[in-house]
Every structure is written in C-alpha cells, then in structure tokens.
Amino acid sequence: METNKLTKMRNSDHSELIIVPGHVADPDMGRLLSRTALFIQKGRIVRIHRDFDTAQIPPGLEVVNLPELTILPALIDCHVHVALDGVDFAAAIKRWSDGDTWLEPVKGALEKSLDSGLATIRDGGDNGMVGLRTKKLINRGELEGPRILACGQGIGKTGKYGSFLGPGISNVGEACQLIDALKEQGVDWLKILVSGIVSFKDYGKIGAVQFTQSELNIMTEYAHDLGLPVMAHASSDEAVRLGIEAGVDTIEHGYFVSAKSLANMAEKGIPWVPTVVPVANQLKVDTHLHHSQEAQAIIRRTYELQLNKIKEAQALGVALGIGTDAGAGGVVHGYDYFRELELFAQAGFSPSEVLKAATRTSAQICGLQEEIGSIEVGKKALLIGVKGNPFQDLNVLRNVEFLLY
Ligand SMILES: [Zn+2]
C-alpha cells in the first residue's frame, strides 16, 4: 500500500496553533464534523470552533490547514515494552546492561510508535528499567517519543515467570521494599506478575500463579497507599480472580477469563487489556516464529476464544483497552497497533467502538481521562490526521498522515 509522508508537530514547539482540518471525528458519536477548527494554546485545546470560516482567523496566529484530513484524538497503547523489539529477545536483554547500546533500538521503537499515531504508551516494564529510563529522557527533551507511563520493573516471585521483567522477590516484605524503590525512582504504575504465560503447546495451559490472595492483597494495598495503580499480568482465570479480589486497577492478557470473572470486573469497574496480537501474530508467516502444525492450531483456538471473550466483555460493560504487548515475540512497535485494532473489529466491535477503545477508554484505563483521549476543551491537544472516514473504514488508520503530540 502506498503511504503518504507523516507530518509530525510537537506542542512544545508552538505556543498557539489553529488546526483547520477537513473534518473532526468524534468517536463518542461516531460521526464527522465539518467546518470545525481547533484552537490550541500551550498544548491544550482551548476552543472547538464550529461553523468556522478561515476569514475568522485572527492575524498573526499560526494556522495548520489540513483540508484533506480527518482529525482524531491521538492513539494510546496500554501495554508495551520499549526495551524489547519483538525480534531478538536475548540480544535485547544483553543490551540493557551493555552501556547505552539499548538506546538505538529504543529510538526506533519510539519512532515507529509516533509514526502509527501513538502519543501515549504505558510500558509494562523490564529488568533493565529501560522503559523508565526512556521516559525520563523523553521528559527531559533528550529523546523524541510518545509520553510514557512507566512501571520500571515487574514484581514477580523468584524462580517463577518473568525474570526479564524484574529482579524477583521471595516474600511480601521484599515486594514492599521493591515497591518503595520503584516509587522513589519515579514510576507511574506497578506491574505485578500474578501468573505465568499462556502455552502454545498445550491448549489452555497457563504458567502457575505466583502469589496467594493475601500476598496480592497486601502488595496492592501497599501500592495504592503510595498512590501507585497496579497493572496485573494475569493470563489465567485463576490469576484474574486473584486480581479482582485484590482490587488491582487493570487486568492484562486474561486469556481464558471466565464469564463470572468478566461480570465481576464489570461490577467492580476493573478494565481489561486483552492483548490479542501477541498470540495472533504467532501465526504470521513472515517472522522468525516457527510453530508446529499442532501449535498453530492451539494458537488459533486461543486467540479466537479471546475474541469471543472480548465481545462477551463488551456486552457485560467491561471497559476494554487496546494493548499490544509490543516488543513481545512477533509484535512490532507501532506497526502492530493497527493489527490489535483489526482484531477488536474481528471480535465484533464497530469502527467507532474500536476508535473509542483506542482513545477514550484507553485514556481512562491509563488514569489520564481528564487529560487525553478525546477532543474536548481543556484536554491536551494530542491529535492525529487520516484521510477518509475512519467510522466507515478502519483501514484509513493504517496511514496516519498528521500527528500533534
Ligand atoms: Zn507485557
């Protein structure tokens, strides 16, 4: 597919801007507004001017005319790992402790994320704290990239799944020490590894849970007392149940989640980031991933079940966010974001429902609903522009032509 060049603008370079697009897309209403201009001051939307006429532009203001484009809120990925590249896991891990060799690949990941319209990403952590270090470089203006919400390292039991995500702890006391240390280092979120991962060899098999209910309760409460929300890596229904009971803030993965758990999540207002693409992408033929025929059948069954659960969750009123697990094996930063959107569409989401999940709901999941996720006065001017009507054809999002971040 022919792709047009992307124009990227940073809010920090412009104190005042007027964006005059062909249309503004309103994901809440699933419709396009024409003759609408967006007035931006210091990176915030200060006025949405309907029935706008270019003759009304006050002199001296910087105007960005985008007559062919439809403007939407910039996209949000609720689950990435900037420290990983989705291709060579072992090489990535080696770079974390090898000077600043990690920086170049991370730059590439950030660029691809911006190119795909992502202005905000929530990083699921890594043992090298690369995600957190990257966030700090971006915040200091030393690196170009989307805004990162970082959790530093993941918290899991020593000897269980996730040694690449964190140092491992052997008891709750150590977990609380690690939470203190992470808080001290400026994390936004905590990631707790409640379970192992889903098997591609044995259908429905998931790595064992790592914590008892009381351990998870204590850690979650400790985190909340420090003002840190908790994302729970929970790949099995057992892990999801533990997370719900402990009052975690988001359920990640949740393969094989039960109807009862989904109902409980809806009731308690705990959102779900179902990350379908890391499973679905195992079937891509053009990667290094080679699975046996049997494994491929298991992978297909696993992600198709996940699509059914997504639809079920939507019907129950569970808040669903877009998370790609970018950096995990076979998942490319930025590029595969659209693939996750497609999978939501395959699950039965309409284009406007997909867009809402990618913007407003994902903002809410990240705890940023007051700041981002929609085009409203007072919100940050994080915007993308695409050609065509995304409510009729989601494919227009494959080619983001404008980004304000
Ligand atoms: Zn992850």
Side-chain angles (χ1 to χ4, degrees), residues 79-81 124 165 191 233 253 325:
H79 193 137
V80 307
H81 297 271
L165 290 167
K191 165 96 162 277
H233 166 105
H253 315 305
D325 218 355

Side-chain angles (χ1 to χ4, degrees), residues 224-238:
H224 286 166
D225 283 347
L226 291 175
L228 292 172
V230 173
M231 58 193 285
H233 166 105
S235 287
S236 61
D237 188 56
E238 185 186 3

